[in-house]
Amino acid sequence: MEEELKCPVCGSLFREPIILPCSHNVCLPCARTIAVQTPESEQHLPPLLHSRGPAPPAAAPGAGPGAAAGSAACLDSESAAGGGGGDHADKLSLHSETDSGYGSYTPSLKSPNGVRVLPLVPAPPGAAAAPRGAGPASSSLTCPQCHRSASLDQRGLRGFQRNRLLEAIVQRYQQGRAAAAAAAKCQLCDRSPPEPAAVLCEQCEVLYCAACQLRCHPARGPFAKHRLAPPPAHPGAPGGGGDGGGGKGAGGGRKLPTCAEHDLENYSMYCVSCRSPVCYQCLEEGKHNKHDVKALGAMWKQHKAQLSQALNGVSDKAKEAKEFLVQLKNLLQQIQENGLDYEACLVAQCDALVDALTRQKAKLLTKVTKEREHKLKVVWDQINHCTLKLRQSTGLMEYCLEVIKENDPSGFLQISDALIKRVQVSQEQWVKGALEPKVSAEFDLTLDSEPLLQSIHQLDFIQMKCRAPVSVPPVPLLQLEKCCTRNNSVTLAWRMPPLSHNPVEGYILELDDGDGGQFREVYVGKETLCTIDGLHFNSTYNARVKAFNSSGVGPYSKTVILQTSDVAWFTFDPSSAHRDIVLSNDNQTATCNSYDDRVVLGTAAFSKGVHYWELHVDRYDNHPDPAFGIARINVVKDMMLGKDDKAWAMYVDNNRSWFMHCNSHTNRTEGGVSKGATVGVLLDLNKHNLTFYINGQQQGPPAFENIEGVFMPALSLNRNVQVTLHTGLEVPQSVKQPKLPNN
């Protein structure tokens, strides 16, 4: 609360606070220092401020800028120098946008204490100089908080109301702080008990005795700008326990405030229009006589209730802020603890790397030592062998030289042959390569440490790597061994190349239309395996994939070509069949529990190509009328196939057949079915027609023409019929002559 009780100009607790028109407060002595007085001979307002009233009387030429340095008491007097009356007060209110007494005009000059004041406007060209000493002076005051300027009338600063409520709160606060800090001691003393505090640093919020202040808080360096104040219990100090507030003690009764306009009258009413308390005489004589007024006590209670209600919201926010501060402090502790844990973990990981490197270093040194010892052994063996041969050859040479010196021919010839052979053998021992070292001095060991050094230099936390700029992903590699087709569906698999460090957020799989058309996106996600269903049979599709991350989309992979099945393999679909349908034989055999006809569809859907399938009649009792054909996915399944507009069928009994669509029966043809018969269905979506066969012979003309869309194999039957589906059949190449319909 102390910040609310400090003057924005002097920074100390309020002394004789006054209320400015903008609702901010300022000390009366401080208001005298920031008020600006400008002679009218030098003040010329901008045109937008000349809104009403006659021009002010000419000022005396002797009233120069020095008049602003006059006694501050003239701003506090009951009337301004020269006394201009009501008209003059009205002229002074030109600084205001309304009758509130202040405006939003932002001044551009600053007083020495940093508070903005009204600037001087140059006199218009041709303006006559006013006589010396004539005319009153215009005074203004700029709020140090919102910088709004307010003009002063002839009463000067006395025209502003005294904030006695704030004054009483300051006085109570001073007394409470003095009582709480009666025994203020130095907080840095080593002595016991500590010395009494001499000063309080408002920035450090620490109490110092004289000795500790000189030692710990010298008035130089960064401490030079700190504000030192007497301790709270120091008598006569600002904010201390003295009577510096100008009010009475908290225990005594405060004097009721009197009206600023009528000194002898107490406030009794509240003007709603002006938002200020007024006295009875103001209502009778002053400007409030036609305003909306209410009882002072009632408005006091009402505003107290409004303030209390507003404080509830602030209190809730303050409670949330306190909880948030506790959360932040707990977060500080958690950060400290987690930081220590992560430091220990990092040290352990680095130590493990160092240990592993040390062990590997020992292994490599062992290899080098073994290689060196091997080379040394080979060289020493060669030295010893060569030394032995050299000694033998030298001895033989010396012996032969002695023999040659002898002059006995017969004795020489007795041993000459043997010596010649020995010399030849000795010479043969020094064959080519015998005088070359078997090993080199170089070590054929090369340690490639560059990848490891690069890895060490790139060693970083994963989060840090993610924050670093990354490139787009590389080209994905299609795994052809996992790519396959089944019926009219294709499955593709891919992976990223090894040693790829760029992050991948997802993949985009594109497929063309099977006719060499444009690519279209068929999958976007993080998976590396995707199956696309519902493609055309006997069609060739091109597929490609690319990866993407936050930096953008990477290049496409190579295009893979996929061929869908030439013929369709499918079964009856139990999920879409009527509940009375009974399926068996891996969903290839169908019958029914009901005497009524029920519909079952196949698992394949056709929109392109030529397709042929057969249905073998396993059981046929009591001459029922099964129907064979095609249908939409939303065909009605509780009546014979072909009775609605979603199916195209041929229904047949034991003697004849009919084509039916939208319950329209056409093309009756002789020839029916029995047990063991085979019904073939030929759907040619290239020619857009449907043809039926019974036992390999075409049954009538093409049943339906100009059919387009997506169709599914369909069948309707009752409990007297059982059929088995045969798929994956080639389209019949030779067709027998069709039977002609009877009508």
Side-chain angles (χ1 to χ4, degrees), residues 487-507:
N487 265 354
N488 60 337
S489 65
V490 298
T491 299
L492 295 106
W494 60 89
R495 62 179 176 84
M496 295 305 294
L499 303 178
S500 175
H501 301 292
N502 294 334
V504 176
E505 297 180 5
Y507 302 92

Side-chain angles (χ1 to χ4, degrees), residues 12 56 70 103 173 239 249 254 286 303 305 346 394 402 433 449-450 544 548 600 621 639 643 696:
S12 301
Y173 178 77
R254 290 202 305 269
H303 282 211
L346 177 62
T394 304
E402 292 299 325
S449 61
E450 186 62 29
R544 63 187 184 183
F548 65 89
V600 58
D621 301 328
M639 60 183 181
K643 286 193 173 184

Side-chain angles (χ1 to χ4, degrees), residues 439-485:
V439 295
S440 65
E442 301 296 331
F443 283 75
D444 296 331
L445 299 175
T446 302
L447 180 63
D448 186 10
S449 61
E450 186 62 29
L452 180 59
L453 289 175
Q454 186 176 1
S455 299
I456 293 175
H457 292 154
Q458 294 177 351
L459 187 64
D460 201 348
F461 299 104
I462 298 178
Q463 294 87 342
M464 300 301 181
K465 291 182 179 178
C466 293
R467 292 173 188 169
V470 296
S471 303
V472 296
V475 179
L477 302 178
L478 287 168
Q479 296 180 278
L480 300 180
E481 67 277 8
K482 296 183 180 180
C483 297
C484 61
T485 62

Side-chain angles (χ1 to χ4, degrees), residues 124-157:
R132 178 179 295 273
S138 174
S139 301
S140 63
L141 183 68
T142 300
C143 175
Q145 289 183 279
C146 65
H147 305 305
R148 289 183 174 180
S149 58
S151 57
L152 306 179
D153 57 13
Q154 65 272 15
R155 295 175 299 170
L157 295 177

Side-chain angles (χ1 to χ4, degrees), residues 18-60:
I18 60 175
I19 306 175
L20 301 180
C22 57
S23 299
H24 292 126
N25 300 279
V26 69
C27 295
L28 181 59
C30 297
R32 293 192 183 102
T33 63
I34 65 175
V36 176
Q37 183 179 18
T38 306
E40 286 195 355
S41 60
E42 297 181 2
Q43 171 112 6
H44 301 279
L45 297 178
L48 61 90
L49 296 178
H50 291 286
S51 57
R52 55 189 171 89

